[in-house]
Amino acid sequence: MAERKTIVGGNWKMNTNRAEASDLAGAVSEGFTNGDQADVFVCPPFPYLIPVAERLSANNGNLVQLGAQNFYHEPNGAFTGEVSLAMLQDLGVSTVLTGHSERRHVIGETDVLINEKTLAALEAGLQVVLCIGETLEQREAGKTNFVNAAQLSYGLAGVTAEQMADVVIAYEPVWAIGTGKTATPEDAQKAHQFIREVLTHGMFNETVGQSVRIQYGGSMKPANAKELLSQPDIDGGLIGGAALKADDFLAIVNAG
């Protein structure tokens, strides 16, 4: 099995104000000092990318990488309200999210758009975290593997084996987020193992399948991080709520 470096990302979603974002970035970057231990990135809201970038740069030389929650796939033009990859790169962004469950199910992004965005970000030289995962209804209908395979296939259409070096997969069991239901480490591992098998045997090859890192995005917290991260096919976490408290986020990073 390939040795895969842990990768932990903080998705701040639509939270924080300018001062809170700057302070959180400062606390995270001051607390994370071992770049050999893990790759770490944070995705603040768009208005706070600049102050967060400044804080990350000031501490440990950008050891904590700057990520963006969203972007538009066209290089420029009449796209009111959108943000381009070049704009994000101008601010120091190195990682972007695509296919997040909230973009799919709340905003209504389609598989086609998610693929266009994934391809554009890879072409621009950014690391892409492609999020996939099933809803409660889909899980209860026994469609977990079908949904994950389909979202992988659509999202990565046209992506080369070489480009997969810049792709991270984040498995988000939508049914386990805010529903009161819990994904066990065994549930999570089973899904991650299936995703790796699809990448290895269905889409790419052994080299790609064994080297791609798969994050868990289903409410990872300090209390369950160690058990989740000890699973053989779970390579990190995409953290929501716990990423808004530096101590909790760093505890998850250190759990790996």
Side-chain angles (χ1 to χ4, degrees):
M1 186 179 73
E3 185 66 30
R4 297 182 294 269
K5 188 177 182 181
T6 299
I7 180 166
V8 180
N11 178 15
W12 299 357
K13 306 189 181 183
M14 199 171 72
N15 295 295
T16 71
N17 57 33
R18 181 172 182 141
E20 290 167 346
S22 180
D23 289 346
L24 181 55
V28 169
S29 56
E30 287 166 11
F32 178 64
T33 57
N34 184 5
D36 294 330
Q37 172 190 4
D39 290 333
V40 175
F41 64 89
V42 294
C43 299
F46 277 148
Y48 309 132
L49 280 169
I50 291 175
V52 167
E54 291 170 348
R55 289 299 292 271
L56 298 182
S57 179
N59 297 327
N60 298 323
N62 292 315
L63 199 56
V64 176
Q65 299 163 36
L66 184 64
Q69 300 175 25
N70 187 37
F71 60 93
Y72 197 60
H73 58 282
E74 294 290 352
N76 51 58
F79 304 105
T80 300
E82 295 296 338
V83 175
S84 74
L85 289 163
M87 293 172 184
L88 295 177
Q89 288 175 298
D90 193 29
L91 301 182
V93 168
S94 59
T95 298
V96 291
L97 307 183
T98 62
H100 192 281
S101 60
E102 290 153 13
R103 300 297 307 177
R104 293 178 188 268
H105 302 298
V106 179
I107 309 301
E109 290 195 4
T110 64
D111 286 313
V112 171
L113 177 58
I114 291 163
N115 177 243
E116 288 177 324
K117 292 168 76 167
T118 298
L119 291 172
L122 290 171
E123 184 67 27
L126 289 161
Q127 176 174 258
V128 176
V129 179
L130 172 64
C131 305
I132 65 172
E134 79 280 16
T135 64
L136 178 60
E137 182 182 12
Q138 290 166 336
R139 180 176 178 80
E140 291 180 341
K143 295 181 178 179
T144 294
N145 287 350
F146 174 82
V147 170
N148 285 332
Q151 290 181 356
L152 271 180
S153 180
Y154 281 118
L156 296 175
V159 175
T160 67
E162 290 73 25
Q163 286 177 315
M164 286 300 293
D166 292 323
V167 173
V168 175
I169 305 299
Y171 168 61
E172 299 182 287
V174 184
W175 56 271
I177 303 173
T179 63
K181 297 180 182 290
T182 304
T184 66
E186 292 73 25
D187 288 331
Q189 164 58 21
K190 188 175 180 180
H192 280 237
Q193 183 179 16
F194 174 77
I195 291 165
R196 196 172 304 285
E197 288 173 355
V198 171
L199 293 170
T200 301
H201 302 295
M203 296 184 65
F204 295 100
N205 53 46
E206 186 80 17
T207 300
V208 170
Q210 293 304 313
S211 60
V212 169
R213 295 179 290 180
I214 308 174
Q215 294 179 310
Y216 179 65
S219 299
M220 187 181 287
K221 303 176 179 66
N224 63 13
K226 191 170 187 64
E227 190 174 9
L228 283 164
L229 293 171
S230 68
Q231 302 297 317
D233 289 296
I234 298 180
D235 306 313
L238 183 60
I239 315 302
L244 297 174
K245 295 181 179 179
D247 289 346
D248 287 353
F249 184 67
L250 290 168
I252 293 170
V253 172
N254 291 328

